[in-house]
Amino acid sequence: MPDRAWTLDALEAALAGLPRPEFRARLRRDLERRARMTTMVDVSTITQTATPVLRVRDAAQAIDFYTRAFGAREVMRFSAGGSIPHARLVIGNATIVLADEGPAHGYPGPDQLGGSPVSIRLDVDDPDAVVDRAIEAGATMVLPVTDHFYGERTGTVLDPFGYRWSVTKVIEPMGVEEMHRRMLSAGGPPPDAREWIPEGYRTLTPYLVVQNAPAVLDFAKVVFGAQETMRSVGSAGGVHAEMRIGDSMVMVGGGAPELSWRGDSMATALHMYVPDVDAVFARAVGAGATVTHEPREMEYGDRECGFVDPGGNTWYVATSHGATYVPAGLGTVTPFLHPLRADAVIAFLTRVLGATTVNRYATPDGVVHHATVRIGDSAIEMGDAHGPHQPMPTMFYVYVPDVNAVYTRALEAGGTSLASPADQPYGARVAAVTDPFGNQWYLAQPNRVDKH
Amino acid sequence: MIDSEDERALVEAAQENPSQFGALYERHVDRVYAFVLLRVRDRDVAEDLTADVFHKALANLRRFEWRGAPFGAWLIRIAANAVADHHRRPSRERNAPEALEALEAPEAPEFEDLARLFRYVDELPDVQRTVIVERFAHERSLREVAAQLGKTEGAIKQIQLRALRALRERISPTAHKTRGGDPKEGGHA
């Protein structure tokens, strides 16, 4: 193709469309302003629904730090009035939004708050290298890179802007069950009981030992609406039965008219909350209970009655006048002890089962009127023995995360062995001890940590 | 005319940091404008559409992938769409000014040539460039330009002629030698 011929006429005709220089300059300014102010992130490429927004002292410096420390890529920066109200960084496949803090406008940063409770977990291929790079870029070491029992290698650093980063690599994937096993063998705290106690049970279940178990079960069904969930004959030739009353389980064992079991009853006191104490009292009387006190208003805000069932167990039945008929923190049925010295029992339970004292009302000279201790998700109430309320040693069935350890601690704390830890055919490793106060504790560790 | 490796570096820089887009804009604004102008033959419309094209390009810059197709071609595709959209808009009147009718003629330049011509105007000596811009871009009369620059109309006419010759020299260096004389050059023969 030869060059086209440009006559001066053709040139003039073409120049008639010459763009105005102001137009080109104005468009360039518009584009530059737009480039600074608009996001370059196409919303269709955002794959993350929830994104943390980190408020920092100096977002521009923070962007520089995160770029050097963690290989972040700045994808958008909106600057206005000398600060950065919004900038986006991409680290790996995650987006993080950074913003200059504005304490005057209700957006404080970690500096004003004394640090941030939020830390960011960063999953990387080589935590050692990333932590090194972060330190070099100006981060402070919080926890050096270490292998953890849950199968992760992690180092934690604090960045110059107040946020912690846990730089992690999963070195051995494992389930929660295995994590619990490893934590226990590493001497760590017990796992959350809900993850290993069999469904429907609590940490602690009172065990009533009576001469006529069926009679007690029948009484509980009539009076409390109890549901019998199992009944069998145990290895000692006695009944083992379980019943649900409200949100609690009660185990009942001992003799039955047709069985040859012979043993001593362990009369137990139980504190119970019901929606209508008067109705329960009427049914109890009708079922042959021995009344200890008729329903009456107690100074602690309950309407309460007391009676003894055909097995000799004492039931303190109450309706609370509080927000709900069961006071917060208690279940439907809570065992009640009358030890000679409640403080000694509390000390034993604290040491052996990790009990915590919820409340303790005592006279100045140390007589405990009422105390509540919590063991796992369950409670035991007690008050020093006095008057008609004399010690009633009780049997308990307790789920523990590590039966060997609890058994050993019980003996060290003055307990006596009834049975050393042994695997039972019903799927638990069980031991039994008598505490110095005569209470018997069956300690059970379910074989399967995971309840599914 | 545009070094492709160099261009690629500019595109990547702008994708990484949009504030670098200005360099790409300077390289391509005349091409896009010329392309649009030849199809709409209206300076105001051409400016509007050119602005649309660059705003679209900036907003979608991250979607541009360098796969052999040059950045310039991508811009022209956006421009072609903008022109097509413009022609589809019924409300928009298209009354091409008389001066631009020459661009409709069969011998109208290609947009690349037109873009080069506009670029060369920028490279003219100051006075020549001013006269060309005032006469053509701002559509001022000889008298107006003469008053503005404090010169006679005849002087302005001479400056314009020198500028046109310089532009012709740049855009087709051999044309005036191989072809016959041009009456506009005045006094030839």
Side-chain angles (χ1 to χ4, degrees):
Chain A
M1 266 278 217
D3 280 341
R4 57 167 287 112
W6 284 88
T7 61
L8 292 186
D9 278 336
L11 268 183
E12 284 191 31
L15 285 172
L18 184 67
R20 289 172 278 228
E22 311 84 83
F23 154 71
R24 289 201 307 207
R26 190 179 63 240
L27 178 54
R28 176 164 183 160
R29 279 197 307 276
D30 287 351
L31 289 167
E32 280 171 349
R33 194 164 56 236
R34 176 96 165 254
R36 281 196 305 273
M37 292 180 56
T38 62
T39 173
M40 290 302 292
V41 176
D42 175 357
V43 276
S44 69
T45 67
I46 295 177
T47 54
Q48 193 171 287
T49 307
T51 303
V53 179
L54 306 188
R55 304 233 168 244
V56 293
R57 186 177 56 243
D58 183 335
Q61 270 185 32
I63 292 168
D64 177 58
F65 170 82
Y66 294 137
T67 304
R68 285 183 290 119
F70 304 129
R73 189 163 58 84
E74 176 184 347
V75 293
M76 181 271 205
R77 180 190 296 215
F78 174 61
S79 304
S83 80
I84 300 178
H86 192 107
R88 280 188 205 178
L89 300 187
V90 169
I91 303 178
N93 62 5
T95 298
I96 285 179
V97 169
L98 282 189
D100 268 315
E101 65 192 19
H105 304 98
Y107 294 113
D111 288 352
Q112 286 93 44
L113 299 174
S116 169
V118 176
S119 66
I120 299 134
R121 176 188 166 107
L122 202 60
D123 280 275
V124 300
D125 284 336
D126 186 349
D128 298 75
V130 174
V131 165
D132 284 350
R133 209 163 67 211
I135 298 290
E136 209 170 290
T140 317
M141 185 72 85
V142 176
L143 294 166
V145 182
T146 330
D147 290 348
H148 294 276
F149 71 86
Y150 41 86
E152 294 179 355
R153 182 165 176 79
T154 300
T156 301
V157 297
L158 178 68
D159 72 33
F161 308 94
Y163 290 97
R164 285 175 187 231
W165 296 73
S166 290
V167 184
T168 297
K169 179 187 172 67
V170 175
I171 45 182
E172 188 188 350
M174 67 180 77
V176 169
E177 179 181 350
E178 179 63 12
M179 288 180 189
H180 283 315
R181 200 188 64 69
R182 296 206 190 182
M183 178 169 61
L184 286 169
S185 60
D192 183 339
R194 278 167 303 200
E195 291 182 10
W196 55 274
I197 289 180
E199 189 108 40
Y201 291 82
R202 288 167 166 261
T203 307
L204 191 108
T205 308
Y207 200 117
L208 315 182
V209 183
V210 295
Q211 296 303 316
N212 187 344
V216 170
L217 289 163
D218 288 345
F219 177 87
K221 287 178 207 170
V222 169
V223 178
F224 308 126
Q227 291 173 286
E228 184 174 325
T229 55
M230 76 162 289
R231 189 190 296 206
S232 64
V233 175
S235 53
V239 171
H240 170 78
E242 299 181 358
M243 60 179 173
R244 168 169 294 282
I245 304 177
D247 67 3
S248 305
M249 292 297 291
V250 174
M251 294 178 183
V252 182
E258 70 279 12
L259 295 180
S260 61
W261 181 87
R262 292 290 173 269
D264 294 331
S265 303
M266 291 185 76
T268 300
L270 299 140
H271 185 195
M272 185 174 181
Y273 281 95
V274 298
D276 182 353
V277 60
D278 294 274
V280 170
F281 181 76
R283 290 200 295 270
V285 171
T290 307
V291 175
T292 59
H293 57 276
E294 296 201 354
R296 61 173 192 250
E297 301 301 327
M298 310 300 280
E299 71 266 28
Y300 41 86
D302 288 355
R303 180 169 175 79
E304 187 193 273
C305 69
F307 49 80
V308 177
D309 71 22
N313 304 292
T314 301
W315 298 83
Y316 303 116
V317 180
T319 298
S320 170
H321 294 314
T324 57
Y325 71 85
V326 181
L330 293 179
T332 309
V333 177
T334 305
F336 205 108
L337 302 178
H338 292 294
L340 292 175
R341 278 189 58 243
D343 282 341
V345 177
I346 293 172
F348 177 86
L349 296 179
T350 302
R351 177 169 172 193
V352 176
L353 291 168
T356 53
T357 303
V358 177
N359 59 52
R360 178 178 172 279
Y361 303 101
T363 60
D365 55 345
V367 175
V368 175
H369 285 306
H370 184 255
T372 307
V373 297
R374 174 158 293 280
I375 299 170
D377 70 354
S378 306
I380 295 178
E381 293 175 279
M382 62 187 86
D384 285 352
H386 64 283
H389 304 292
Q390 290 305 309
M392 299 170 80
T394 297
M395 186 182 285
F396 295 97
Y397 194 87
V398 195
Y399 284 109
V400 295
D402 182 348
V403 66
N404 295 350
V406 175
Y407 175 78
T408 305
R409 288 203 296 271
L411 299 187
E412 286 167 0
T416 317
S417 177
L418 286 172
S420 52
D423 291 322
Q424 298 298 324
Y426 48 87
R429 184 169 173 81
V430 178
V433 293
T434 303
D435 69 23
F437 325 100
N439 302 298
Q440 294 182 16
W441 300 86
Y442 281 82
L443 311 170
Q445 175 185 355
N447 286 351
R448 284 176 56 80
V449 167
D450 154 13
K451 64 187 171 192
H452 303 296
Chain B
M1 156 167 148
I2 288 171
D3 179 299
S4 123
E5 273 314 299
D6 184 26
E7 171 106 332
R8 182 171 190 152
L10 283 179
V11 169
E12 283 169 0
Q15 285 178 325
E16 195 69 27
N17 182 357
S19 64
Q20 304 293 310
F21 188 66
L24 286 172
Y25 166 77
E26 289 296 345
R27 278 190 173 210
H28 292 283
V29 61
D30 287 327
R31 293 179 64 249
V32 170
Y33 173 83
F35 176 89
V36 174
L37 181 73
L38 286 172
R39 285 155 183 80
V40 300
R41 294 180 303 278
D42 179 316
R43 200 200 322 268
D44 291 334
V45 174
E47 288 182 357
D48 284 352
L49 293 185
T50 300
D52 289 350
V53 169
F54 280 98
H55 279 295
K56 260 198 193 100
L58 174 61
N60 292 283
L61 192 56
R62 283 192 182 279
R63 287 188 183 164
F64 172 72
E65 287 179 44
W66 197 280
R67 287 190 186 147
F71 181 70
W74 185 67
L75 281 178
I76 293 302
R77 205 170 64 230
I78 297 175
N81 289 337
V83 168
D85 282 349
H86 168 74
H87 287 317
R88 270 198 292 272
R89 256 172 272 163
S91 59
R92 201 121 171 204
E93 296 211 355
R94 277 173 279 133
N95 49 346
E98 214 175 312
L100 295 188
E101 273 173 8
L103 296 176
E104 235 176 344
E107 65 272 18
E110 293 296 320
F111 80 90
E112 298 279 12
D113 291 333
L114 197 55
R116 274 164 57 217
L117 175 64
F118 295 158
R119 174 65 63 197
Y120 294 149
V121 170
D122 280 349
E123 295 166 9
L124 290 172
D126 280 352
V127 178
Q128 290 184 21
R129 188 183 66 243
T130 303
V131 168
I132 293 295
V133 165
E134 290 306 315
R135 291 280 289 123
F136 295 97
H138 294 154
E139 298 174 31
R140 298 236 155 82
S141 67
L142 280 173
R143 191 200 305 188
E144 284 172 320
V145 179
Q148 187 186 334
L149 297 185
K151 295 182 191 295
T152 63
E153 287 183 41
I156 297 301
K157 211 169 172 178
Q158 280 305 310
I159 295 170
Q160 178 177 322
L161 186 58
R162 279 202 296 279
L164 290 174
R165 283 180 184 151
L167 288 172
R168 188 178 63 177
E169 178 70 23
R170 285 293 310 270
I171 201 158
S172 51
T174 55
H176 68 288
K177 289 169 188 159
T178 55
R179 303 259 161 181
D182 187 323
K184 284 230 173 181
E185 292 190 43
H188 94 100

